[in-house]
Amino acid sequence: MTGFPAGFDAQPRLAGDGFSLSPLENSHRAALTEAAADPRIWEGHPATDRYKPEVFGPYFDYLIGSGQTLVITEDKTKKIIGCSRFYPAPDVDDSISIGYTFLTVPYWGGPTNRIVKTLMLDHAFGYAETVWLHIAPTNLRSQRASTKLGAIYSHNIMMDVLSGPVDTMCYRLNRAAWNKGMVG
């Protein structure tokens, strides 16, 4: 049976370098739906039509129902620019994964993903030696971003991300490699 390590808070409030992560609430529905409305965000995902409000709505319900999702807010503008989520790896007991992440297009290619993942990884590594990332084989952008963080491909599993079971690549990042990468 998978689950989080003892004591892990899957919805912490995290902040740093101009961005804040806070627990997803129903009051975020309109702003997150607006953030998700660009088709380019979903091109590499299994649900390529998730930019449509009628498709994103059930996905939002899934995310809020998980009790594990964080909205990402740019501190300067107070605008919600995406979300990410902690969840247990479906095939590893007492584990922490980070995924279900999306950012609006203006935040691609710059420091935002690293800042968000640094906040989340620093929190996760207080409870686990390894953090897992699960990525669709078609999502080359996320694969590149994960390897830039130091994650290493491990194996594939079938994983259901609300659109039905899909082949998913599993990347792992261990605490020692993360700490080494942050220093060097």
Side-chain angles (χ1 to χ4, degrees):
M1 182 174 149
T2 64
F4 288 120
F8 180 71
D9 179 2
Q11 282 191 308
R13 292 186 181 278
L14 306 171
D17 292 324
F19 297 93
S20 298
L21 286 76
S22 59
L24 179 65
E25 299 174 357
N26 274 317
S27 63
H28 298 133
R29 182 180 294 273
L32 197 60
T33 301
E34 181 181 335
D38 189 328
R40 294 174 289 178
I41 293 171
W42 308 104
E43 287 175 346
H45 290 258
T48 57
D49 61 349
R50 196 168 279 154
Y51 65 93
K52 298 176 181 175
E54 66 272 17
V55 177
F56 188 77
Y59 185 65
F60 182 93
D61 294 339
Y62 171 77
L63 293 175
I64 200 149
S66 75
Q68 303 165 342
T69 306
L70 303 169
V71 292
I72 304 164
T73 304
E74 183 183 44
D75 293 341
K76 182 173 69 172
T77 63
K78 304 295 185 215
K79 186 170 185 169
I80 290 177
I81 61 162
C83 70
S84 193
R85 181 178 162 208
F86 289 113
Y87 60 97
D91 61 335
V92 181
D93 289 337
D94 297 323
S95 62
I96 302 171
S97 300
I98 296 173
Y100 298 78
T101 306
F102 80 85
L103 294 170
T104 57
V105 175
Y107 297 90
W108 291 3
T112 306
N113 185 61
R114 180 171 270 289
I115 292 167
V116 168
K117 290 299 190 329
T118 296
L119 293 168
M120 294 181 77
L121 286 164
D122 286 349
H123 175 68
F125 283 132
Y127 298 87
E129 289 293 320
T130 300
V131 173
W132 293 92
L133 307 165
H134 300 94
I135 305 168
T138 55
N139 193 339
L140 301 178
R141 185 174 0 99
S142 289
Q143 290 172 43
R144 284 190 298 270
S146 295
T147 57
K148 284 182 184 179
L149 294 172
I152 298 169
Y153 170 78
S154 175
H155 62 283
N156 279 33
I157 61 171
M158 294 302 287
M159 193 167 153
D160 190 348
V161 290
L162 194 63
S163 55
V166 294
D167 186 34
T168 304
M169 300 173 74
C170 303
Y171 286 76
R172 71 178 189 282
L173 180 58
N174 70 44
R175 184 187 307 161
W178 174 247
N179 288 336
K180 181 180 177 185
M182 293 306 292
V183 175

